[in-house]
Amino acid sequence: MSVIDMVRVIAWISLATMGFLALAPLRWRPRAIATANVDSLSMFVLLSMLFAFSYPDDRRVVAIFCIVGAIVSEILLLISPRRDPRVNDALLKALGGLTGVVIGAVILQIISFGHR
């Protein structure tokens, strides 16, 4: 199993975990380290970086996937009776996703430049 394959597995497991925690009751969720907005933003940055590393040749697809994922994550909150989706939160998550893709692309560029 290659490094990219392992990163892909970690990325998909992380996505599934995030989806589960988004719908889980509050008592099951980990305590927030910072504000909810900072937590959401940082989680989407890290998750999208994992996907950028997993699919280095498909950055546009990863970026679209992150935007759609941000929107879907907010829509899924309609299932939970104590949570309500917000457009601002979806935009913040999408911004985090795109930021992570850019950071991941820059890191991959630096790594590939070092191997030349």
Side-chain angles (χ1 to χ4, degrees):
M1 182 179 251
S2 72
V3 173
I4 289 180
D5 291 336
M6 289 188 295
V7 173
R8 282 184 183 159
V9 169
I10 292 168
W12 285 105
I13 290 172
S14 298
L15 178 65
T17 303
M18 257 181 64
F20 172 76
L21 290 175
L23 297 175
L26 292 177
R27 66 181 181 275
W28 291 5
R29 299 177 74 195
R31 288 181 20 174
I33 296 171
T35 66
N37 287 340
V38 172
D39 276 352
S40 291
L41 182 69
S42 60
M43 288 304 297
F44 269 83
V45 168
L46 293 174
L47 186 62
S48 62
M49 281 176 59
L50 282 173
F51 276 99
F53 295 150
S54 299
Y55 302 96
D57 298 328
D58 299 323
R59 290 183 194 130
R60 289 182 185 140
V61 174
V62 171
I64 291 168
F65 179 74
C66 291
I67 292 169
V68 171
I71 295 167
V72 168
S73 74
E74 283 299 307
I75 291 172
L76 284 175
L77 295 180
L78 291 170
I79 296 171
S80 179
R82 294 185 180 148
R83 313 268 320 267
D84 55 329
R86 295 191 174 112
V87 173
N88 289 344
D89 291 346
L91 291 173
L92 185 67
K93 290 175 182 179
L95 177 65
L98 293 176
T99 301
V101 172
V102 170
I103 292 170
V106 168
I107 291 171
L108 287 171
Q109 191 69 30
I110 290 169
I111 290 171
S112 69
F113 183 73
H115 285 107
R116 290 183 185 176

